[in-house]
Short mmCIF file of all heavy atoms in Angstrom, two decimals:
data_model
loop_
_atom_site.label_atom_id
_atom_site.label_comp_id
_atom_site.label_asym_id
_atom_site.label_seq_id
_atom_site.Cartn_x
_atom_site.Cartn_y
_atom_site.Cartn_z
N SER A 33 -32.06 -26.05 71.74
CA SER A 33 -31.11 -26.32 72.81
C SER A 33 -29.91 -27.11 72.30
O SER A 33 -30.02 -27.90 71.36
CB SER A 33 -31.83 -27.12 73.90
OG SER A 33 -30.93 -27.51 74.89
N LYS A 34 -28.80 -26.90 72.94
CA LYS A 34 -27.59 -27.65 72.60
C LYS A 34 -27.57 -29.00 73.33
O LYS A 34 -26.69 -29.80 73.12
CB LYS A 34 -26.36 -26.84 72.99
CG LYS A 34 -26.31 -25.47 72.34
CD LYS A 34 -25.39 -25.49 71.15
CE LYS A 34 -25.13 -24.12 70.59
NZ LYS A 34 -26.13 -23.58 69.75
N ASN A 35 -28.55 -29.22 74.20
CA ASN A 35 -28.65 -30.46 74.95
C ASN A 35 -30.05 -31.04 74.84
O ASN A 35 -31.00 -30.32 74.53
CB ASN A 35 -28.34 -30.23 76.43
CG ASN A 35 -26.89 -29.85 76.65
OD1 ASN A 35 -26.00 -30.61 76.32
ND2 ASN A 35 -26.66 -28.67 77.18
N TYR A 36 -30.17 -32.32 75.09
CA TYR A 36 -31.47 -32.96 75.17
C TYR A 36 -31.51 -33.77 76.46
O TYR A 36 -30.49 -34.08 77.06
CB TYR A 36 -31.75 -33.83 73.95
CG TYR A 36 -30.82 -35.02 73.79
CD1 TYR A 36 -31.20 -36.28 74.22
CD2 TYR A 36 -29.58 -34.88 73.19
CE1 TYR A 36 -30.35 -37.37 74.07
CE2 TYR A 36 -28.72 -35.97 73.03
CZ TYR A 36 -29.13 -37.20 73.48
OH TYR A 36 -28.29 -38.28 73.34
N ARG A 37 -32.72 -34.06 76.93
CA ARG A 37 -32.87 -34.78 78.20
C ARG A 37 -33.40 -36.18 77.94
O ARG A 37 -34.23 -36.39 77.06
CB ARG A 37 -33.82 -34.02 79.12
CG ARG A 37 -33.23 -32.69 79.56
CD ARG A 37 -34.16 -31.91 80.41
NE ARG A 37 -35.32 -31.53 79.58
CZ ARG A 37 -36.42 -31.01 80.04
NH1 ARG A 37 -36.56 -30.80 81.32
NH2 ARG A 37 -37.40 -30.68 79.24
N ILE A 38 -32.89 -37.13 78.73
CA ILE A 38 -33.32 -38.52 78.62
C ILE A 38 -33.63 -39.06 80.02
O ILE A 38 -33.08 -38.60 81.01
CB ILE A 38 -32.27 -39.41 77.94
CG1 ILE A 38 -30.93 -39.36 78.68
CG2 ILE A 38 -32.09 -39.03 76.48
CD1 ILE A 38 -29.90 -40.33 78.14
N ALA A 39 -34.55 -40.04 80.07
CA ALA A 39 -34.87 -40.75 81.31
C ALA A 39 -34.00 -42.00 81.36
O ALA A 39 -34.11 -42.86 80.50
CB ALA A 39 -36.35 -41.11 81.36
N VAL A 40 -33.14 -42.08 82.36
CA VAL A 40 -32.15 -43.15 82.46
C VAL A 40 -32.36 -43.96 83.73
O VAL A 40 -32.65 -43.40 84.79
CB VAL A 40 -30.71 -42.58 82.46
CG1 VAL A 40 -29.68 -43.68 82.57
CG2 VAL A 40 -30.47 -41.76 81.22
N VAL A 41 -32.21 -45.28 83.62
CA VAL A 41 -32.19 -46.17 84.78
C VAL A 41 -30.80 -46.77 84.84
O VAL A 41 -30.34 -47.40 83.89
CB VAL A 41 -33.25 -47.28 84.65
CG1 VAL A 41 -33.11 -48.29 85.78
CG2 VAL A 41 -34.64 -46.69 84.63
N ARG A 42 -30.11 -46.55 85.94
CA ARG A 42 -28.77 -47.10 86.13
C ARG A 42 -28.77 -48.30 87.08
O ARG A 42 -27.82 -49.06 87.11
CB ARG A 42 -27.81 -46.03 86.62
CG ARG A 42 -27.65 -44.91 85.59
CD ARG A 42 -26.46 -44.03 85.82
NE ARG A 42 -26.33 -43.04 84.78
CZ ARG A 42 -25.78 -43.26 83.59
NH1 ARG A 42 -25.32 -44.43 83.29
NH2 ARG A 42 -25.71 -42.29 82.70
N PRO A 47 -39.55 -46.52 90.85
CA PRO A 47 -39.51 -45.33 90.01
C PRO A 47 -38.47 -44.30 90.44
O PRO A 47 -37.99 -43.52 89.62
CB PRO A 47 -40.93 -44.75 90.13
CG PRO A 47 -41.78 -45.91 90.49
CD PRO A 47 -40.91 -46.81 91.33
N GLU A 48 -38.11 -44.30 91.71
CA GLU A 48 -37.11 -43.34 92.19
C GLU A 48 -35.74 -43.57 91.55
O GLU A 48 -34.87 -42.71 91.62
CB GLU A 48 -36.98 -43.43 93.72
CG GLU A 48 -38.20 -42.94 94.47
CD GLU A 48 -39.35 -43.96 94.50
OE1 GLU A 48 -39.13 -45.15 94.26
OE2 GLU A 48 -40.48 -43.51 94.75
N ASN A 49 -35.56 -44.71 90.92
CA ASN A 49 -34.29 -45.02 90.26
C ASN A 49 -34.18 -44.37 88.88
O ASN A 49 -33.14 -44.49 88.22
CB ASN A 49 -34.09 -46.52 90.12
CG ASN A 49 -33.79 -47.18 91.44
OD1 ASN A 49 -33.89 -46.56 92.49
ND2 ASN A 49 -33.42 -48.44 91.41
N ILE A 50 -35.24 -43.71 88.43
CA ILE A 50 -35.20 -43.02 87.14
C ILE A 50 -34.58 -41.64 87.36
O ILE A 50 -34.99 -40.90 88.24
CB ILE A 50 -36.61 -42.85 86.54
CG1 ILE A 50 -37.26 -44.21 86.32
CG2 ILE A 50 -36.56 -42.05 85.24
CD1 ILE A 50 -38.73 -44.12 85.93
N SER A 51 -33.60 -41.33 86.56
CA SER A 51 -33.01 -39.99 86.62
C SER A 51 -33.12 -39.33 85.26
O SER A 51 -33.11 -40.00 84.23
CB SER A 51 -31.54 -40.04 87.07
OG SER A 51 -30.77 -40.75 86.13
N ILE A 52 -33.27 -38.02 85.26
CA ILE A 52 -33.33 -37.25 84.03
C ILE A 52 -31.94 -36.66 83.83
O ILE A 52 -31.43 -35.94 84.69
CB ILE A 52 -34.39 -36.13 84.09
CG1 ILE A 52 -35.76 -36.71 84.44
CG2 ILE A 52 -34.42 -35.35 82.78
CD1 ILE A 52 -36.28 -37.74 83.45
N GLU A 53 -31.33 -36.98 82.69
CA GLU A 53 -29.97 -36.53 82.41
C GLU A 53 -29.95 -35.69 81.14
O GLU A 53 -30.75 -35.88 80.24
CB GLU A 53 -29.04 -37.73 82.25
CG GLU A 53 -28.93 -38.57 83.49
CD GLU A 53 -27.98 -39.74 83.34
OE1 GLU A 53 -27.30 -39.85 82.28
OE2 GLU A 53 -27.91 -40.55 84.27
N SER A 54 -29.03 -34.78 81.10
CA SER A 54 -28.85 -33.91 79.95
C SER A 54 -27.64 -34.40 79.15
O SER A 54 -26.59 -34.71 79.73
CB SER A 54 -28.61 -32.48 80.43
OG SER A 54 -28.45 -31.62 79.34
N HIS A 55 -27.82 -34.50 77.84
CA HIS A 55 -26.74 -34.95 76.96
C HIS A 55 -26.61 -33.99 75.79
O HIS A 55 -27.60 -33.43 75.32
CB HIS A 55 -27.03 -36.36 76.43
CG HIS A 55 -26.88 -37.40 77.48
ND1 HIS A 55 -25.72 -38.10 77.66
CD2 HIS A 55 -27.74 -37.87 78.42
CE1 HIS A 55 -25.87 -38.94 78.66
NE2 HIS A 55 -27.08 -38.82 79.14
N PRO A 56 -25.40 -33.79 75.28
CA PRO A 56 -25.22 -32.87 74.15
C PRO A 56 -25.85 -33.42 72.87
O PRO A 56 -25.83 -34.62 72.62
CB PRO A 56 -23.70 -32.75 74.01
CG PRO A 56 -23.14 -33.94 74.69
CD PRO A 56 -24.13 -34.36 75.73
N VAL A 57 -26.43 -32.53 72.10
CA VAL A 57 -26.98 -32.89 70.80
C VAL A 57 -25.82 -33.19 69.86
O VAL A 57 -24.86 -32.42 69.78
CB VAL A 57 -27.85 -31.73 70.25
CG1 VAL A 57 -28.29 -32.00 68.82
CG2 VAL A 57 -29.05 -31.51 71.16
N GLN A 58 -25.89 -34.32 69.18
CA GLN A 58 -24.83 -34.73 68.26
C GLN A 58 -25.00 -34.03 66.91
O GLN A 58 -26.12 -33.73 66.50
CB GLN A 58 -24.86 -36.25 68.06
CG GLN A 58 -24.65 -37.03 69.34
CD GLN A 58 -23.29 -36.75 69.95
OE1 GLN A 58 -22.28 -36.74 69.28
NE2 GLN A 58 -23.28 -36.49 71.25
N VAL A 67 -35.60 -33.30 64.59
CA VAL A 67 -36.99 -32.98 64.90
C VAL A 67 -37.06 -32.54 66.35
O VAL A 67 -36.56 -33.22 67.24
CB VAL A 67 -37.89 -34.22 64.68
CG1 VAL A 67 -39.32 -33.91 65.06
CG2 VAL A 67 -37.80 -34.71 63.24
N VAL A 69 -38.77 -32.17 69.80
CA VAL A 69 -39.81 -32.86 70.56
C VAL A 69 -40.03 -32.09 71.85
O VAL A 69 -39.09 -31.87 72.61
CB VAL A 69 -39.40 -34.32 70.88
CG1 VAL A 69 -40.45 -35.01 71.72
CG2 VAL A 69 -39.14 -35.09 69.59
N ARG A 70 -41.26 -31.68 72.09
CA ARG A 70 -41.55 -30.90 73.30
C ARG A 70 -41.92 -31.79 74.48
O ARG A 70 -41.67 -31.43 75.61
CB ARG A 70 -42.67 -29.92 73.02
CG ARG A 70 -42.23 -28.82 72.10
CD ARG A 70 -43.31 -27.81 71.95
NE ARG A 70 -42.70 -26.63 71.36
CZ ARG A 70 -43.12 -25.43 71.57
NH1 ARG A 70 -44.16 -25.21 72.31
NH2 ARG A 70 -42.51 -24.41 71.02
N THR A 71 -42.60 -32.89 74.23
CA THR A 71 -43.00 -33.78 75.31
C THR A 71 -42.74 -35.23 74.90
O THR A 71 -42.67 -35.55 73.73
CB THR A 71 -44.50 -33.64 75.65
OG1 THR A 71 -45.27 -33.97 74.49
CG2 THR A 71 -44.83 -32.25 76.13
N GLY A 72 -42.59 -36.06 75.87
CA GLY A 72 -42.40 -37.49 75.63
C GLY A 72 -43.16 -38.26 76.68
O GLY A 72 -43.71 -37.69 77.63
N GLY A 73 -43.22 -39.55 76.52
CA GLY A 73 -43.95 -40.35 77.48
C GLY A 73 -43.36 -41.74 77.61
O GLY A 73 -42.50 -42.13 76.82
N LEU A 74 -43.81 -42.45 78.61
CA LEU A 74 -43.38 -43.81 78.84
C LEU A 74 -44.58 -44.74 78.71
O LEU A 74 -45.72 -44.32 78.91
CB LEU A 74 -42.76 -43.95 80.23
CG LEU A 74 -41.55 -43.05 80.50
CD1 LEU A 74 -41.07 -43.25 81.93
CD2 LEU A 74 -40.43 -43.34 79.53
N ASP A 78 -42.11 -49.86 79.87
CA ASP A 78 -40.99 -49.14 80.47
C ASP A 78 -40.93 -49.36 81.98
O ASP A 78 -39.85 -49.41 82.57
CB ASP A 78 -41.07 -47.64 80.16
CG ASP A 78 -40.80 -47.36 78.69
OD1 ASP A 78 -39.80 -47.86 78.17
OD2 ASP A 78 -41.60 -46.63 78.08
N ARG A 81 -39.30 -52.69 82.35
CA ARG A 81 -37.87 -52.55 82.06
C ARG A 81 -37.16 -51.91 83.24
O ARG A 81 -36.09 -52.35 83.66
CB ARG A 81 -37.65 -51.72 80.80
CG ARG A 81 -38.09 -52.41 79.53
CD ARG A 81 -37.95 -51.52 78.31
NE ARG A 81 -36.53 -51.24 78.06
CZ ARG A 81 -36.09 -50.12 77.51
NH1 ARG A 81 -36.93 -49.18 77.14
NH2 ARG A 81 -34.81 -49.95 77.31
N ARG A 82 -37.75 -50.85 83.82
CA ARG A 82 -37.16 -50.16 84.94
C ARG A 82 -37.01 -51.09 86.15
O ARG A 82 -36.02 -51.07 86.86
CB ARG A 82 -38.02 -48.96 85.32
CG ARG A 82 -37.49 -48.15 86.46
CD ARG A 82 -38.46 -47.88 87.60
NE ARG A 82 -39.85 -48.09 87.41
CZ ARG A 82 -40.57 -48.93 88.16
NH1 ARG A 82 -40.03 -49.67 89.09
NH2 ARG A 82 -41.87 -49.05 87.96
N VAL A 90 -28.60 -52.67 82.54
CA VAL A 90 -28.49 -51.25 82.82
C VAL A 90 -27.12 -50.76 82.45
O VAL A 90 -26.18 -51.55 82.43
CB VAL A 90 -28.79 -50.95 84.31
CG1 VAL A 90 -30.25 -51.14 84.61
CG2 VAL A 90 -27.94 -51.79 85.24
N PRO A 91 -26.91 -49.51 82.14
CA PRO A 91 -27.94 -48.47 82.11
C PRO A 91 -28.85 -48.63 80.89
O PRO A 91 -28.46 -49.18 79.87
CB PRO A 91 -27.14 -47.18 82.02
CG PRO A 91 -25.86 -47.57 81.33
CD PRO A 91 -25.60 -48.98 81.76
N LEU A 92 -30.07 -48.14 81.03
CA LEU A 92 -31.01 -48.15 79.91
C LEU A 92 -31.73 -46.83 79.83
O LEU A 92 -31.92 -46.16 80.84
CB LEU A 92 -31.98 -49.32 80.00
CG LEU A 92 -32.94 -49.41 81.18
CD1 LEU A 92 -34.25 -48.74 80.83
CD2 LEU A 92 -33.20 -50.87 81.51
N VAL A 93 -32.10 -46.45 78.62
CA VAL A 93 -32.85 -45.21 78.38
C VAL A 93 -34.29 -45.59 78.15
O VAL A 93 -34.60 -46.41 77.29
CB VAL A 93 -32.28 -44.45 77.16
CG1 VAL A 93 -33.11 -43.21 76.88
CG2 VAL A 93 -30.83 -44.11 77.38
N LEU A 94 -35.18 -45.04 78.96
CA LEU A 94 -36.60 -45.34 78.84
C LEU A 94 -37.24 -44.55 77.71
O LEU A 94 -36.77 -43.48 77.35
CB LEU A 94 -37.32 -45.02 80.16
CG LEU A 94 -36.83 -45.82 81.37
CD1 LEU A 94 -37.54 -45.34 82.62
CD2 LEU A 94 -37.05 -47.31 81.17
N GLY A 95 -38.30 -45.10 77.15
CA GLY A 95 -39.04 -44.43 76.10
C GLY A 95 -38.45 -44.62 74.71
O GLY A 95 -38.86 -43.95 73.77
N THR A 96 -37.50 -45.55 74.57
CA THR A 96 -36.90 -45.78 73.26
C THR A 96 -37.43 -47.03 72.63
O THR A 96 -37.90 -47.93 73.28
CB THR A 96 -35.38 -45.90 73.36
OG1 THR A 96 -35.05 -46.96 74.26
CG2 THR A 96 -34.75 -44.62 73.83
#
Side-chain angles (χ1 to χ4, degrees):
S33 174
K34 302 261 189 280
N35 293 299
Y36 64 98
R37 293 178 294 170
I38 58 174
V40 179
V41 173
R42 297 196 177 279
E48 292 79 18
N49 288 9
I50 300 171
S51 63
I52 304 300
E53 298 181 6
S54 181
H55 288 266
V57 172
Q58 300 298 314
V67 177
V69 177
R70 290 185 165 210
T71 61
L74 301 178
D78 290 311
R81 291 176 65 210
R82 181 233 344 122
V90 289
L92 63 92
V93 177
L94 299 176
T96 57

